Amino acid sequence: MADGYAYAAKVGDIPENASKAVDIDGRSILICNTRDGFLAVENLCTHQLQALEGGKIRGCYIFCPLHGQRFNLKDGKPIGQLTDKPLPVFRLRVDGDEIWINPEPTVCEPG
């Protein structure tokens, strides 16, 4: 780990509008390639604890593959009525062709 960031993936490993789950410090983190660049959230829907990997990405939103719960990938906020609990989000940086993630999550307040 360098400067609080852990190596996560190569940029080329994650096509546009796709995601990839990585394990960092025992936590599954989902890296999403969005129209606004790479964003990272916990790979666990706060509705029924389903993995988000494989969910559709549209703009800067991901839809849970189980019930379609939508989350803003920038701040983790849920949109809809299934849950009001936000996703933990992670700071990341792209260095050349490498993606690095800070494993300390940030969480916005519900509502």
Side-chain angles (χ1 to χ4, degrees):
M1 206 175 308
D3 299 327
Y5 284 77
Y7 172 78
K10 294 279 188 191
V11 168
D13 291 344
I14 309 168
E16 192 172 337
N17 294 319
S19 62
K20 177 180 180 170
V22 296
D23 184 272
I24 298 177
D25 290 344
R27 183 176 217 154
S28 183
I29 298 174
L30 189 66
I31 305 169
C32 302
N33 187 351
T34 74
R35 69 174 179 211
D36 288 351
F38 291 97
L39 299 168
V41 296
E42 188 165 48
N43 184 30
L44 195 63
C45 178
T46 59
H47 171 231
Q48 286 196 341
L49 307 181
Q50 168 74 27
L52 289 170
E53 186 174 28
K56 291 184 193 240
I57 295 174
R58 295 292 179 260
C60 290
Y61 298 93
I62 189 164
F63 295 81
C64 177
L66 184 60
H67 291 120
Q69 174 63 48
R70 182 169 55 146
F71 294 92
N72 185 321
L73 291 166
K74 290 182 177 183
D75 60 15
K77 287 185 180 178
I79 298 160
Q81 298 179 2
L82 297 178
T83 184
D84 65 352
K85 187 174 179 186
L87 296 171
V89 297
F90 298 86
R91 293 181 304 276
L92 65 73
R93 68 178 186 217
V94 176
D95 185 11
D97 68 342
E98 298 178 338
I99 300 170
W100 293 74
I101 294 178
N102 184 316
E104 290 298 318
T106 59
V107 179
C108 69
E109 294 299 318

PDB file of all heavy atoms in Angstrom, residues 11 94-98:
ATOM      1  N   VAL A  11      -6.537  -0.275 -15.682  1.00  0.00           N
ATOM      2  CA  VAL A  11      -7.591   0.493 -16.353  1.00  0.00           C
ATOM      3  C   VAL A  11      -8.244  -0.349 -17.450  1.00  0.00           C
ATOM      4  O   VAL A  11      -9.463  -0.388 -17.584  1.00  0.00           O
ATOM      5  CB  VAL A  11      -7.017   1.810 -16.925  1.00  0.00           C
ATOM      6  CG1 VAL A  11      -7.991   2.471 -17.871  1.00  0.00           C
ATOM      7  CG2 VAL A  11      -6.644   2.757 -15.783  1.00  0.00           C
ATOM      8  N   VAL A  94      -6.212   7.148 -10.449  1.00  0.00           N
ATOM      9  CA  VAL A  94      -5.664   6.440 -11.603  1.00  0.00           C
ATOM     10  C   VAL A  94      -4.258   6.968 -11.819  1.00  0.00           C
ATOM     11  O   VAL A  94      -4.041   8.174 -11.927  1.00  0.00           O
ATOM     12  CB  VAL A  94      -6.546   6.662 -12.855  1.00  0.00           C
ATOM     13  CG1 VAL A  94      -5.916   6.000 -14.072  1.00  0.00           C
ATOM     14  CG2 VAL A  94      -7.951   6.123 -12.619  1.00  0.00           C
ATOM     15  N   ASP A  95      -3.306   6.057 -11.836  1.00  0.00           N
ATOM     16  CA  ASP A  95      -1.901   6.399 -12.032  1.00  0.00           C
ATOM     17  C   ASP A  95      -1.415   5.621 -13.251  1.00  0.00           C
ATOM     18  O   ASP A  95      -1.183   4.416 -13.166  1.00  0.00           O
ATOM     19  CB  ASP A  95      -1.100   6.043 -10.784  1.00  0.00           C
ATOM     20  CG  ASP A  95       0.351   6.477 -10.860  1.00  0.00           C
ATOM     21  OD1 ASP A  95       0.711   7.231 -11.789  1.00  0.00           O
ATOM     22  OD2 ASP A  95       1.131   6.072  -9.976  1.00  0.00           O
ATOM     23  N   GLY A  96      -1.332   6.315 -14.395  1.00  0.00           N
ATOM     24  CA  GLY A  96      -0.985   5.634 -15.641  1.00  0.00           C
ATOM     25  C   GLY A  96      -2.098   4.681 -16.015  1.00  0.00           C
ATOM     26  O   GLY A  96      -3.231   5.088 -16.215  1.00  0.00           O
ATOM     27  N   ASP A  97      -1.780   3.382 -16.056  1.00  0.00           N
ATOM     28  CA  ASP A  97      -2.811   2.385 -16.383  1.00  0.00           C
ATOM     29  C   ASP A  97      -3.245   1.585 -15.156  1.00  0.00           C
ATOM     30  O   ASP A  97      -3.853   0.532 -15.284  1.00  0.00           O
ATOM     31  CB  ASP A  97      -2.335   1.463 -17.502  1.00  0.00           C
ATOM     32  CG  ASP A  97      -1.191   0.550 -17.069  1.00  0.00           C
ATOM     33  OD1 ASP A  97      -0.535   0.841 -16.048  1.00  0.00           O
ATOM     34  OD2 ASP A  97      -0.952  -0.464 -17.749  1.00  0.00           O
ATOM     35  N   GLU A  98      -2.953   2.108 -13.951  1.00  0.00           N
ATOM     36  CA  GLU A  98      -3.299   1.409 -12.721  1.00  0.00           C
ATOM     37  C   GLU A  98      -4.344   2.184 -11.916  1.00  0.00           C
ATOM     38  O   GLU A  98      -4.310   3.409 -11.856  1.00  0.00           O
ATOM     39  CB  GLU A  98      -2.064   1.202 -11.850  1.00  0.00           C
ATOM     40  CG  GLU A  98      -1.010   0.339 -12.505  1.00  0.00           C
ATOM     41  CD  GLU A  98       0.229   0.183 -11.641  1.00  0.00           C
ATOM     42  OE1 GLU A  98       0.484   1.026 -10.755  1.00  0.00           O
ATOM     43  OE2 GLU A  98       0.954  -0.801 -11.866  1.00  0.00           O
TER      44      GLU A  98
END
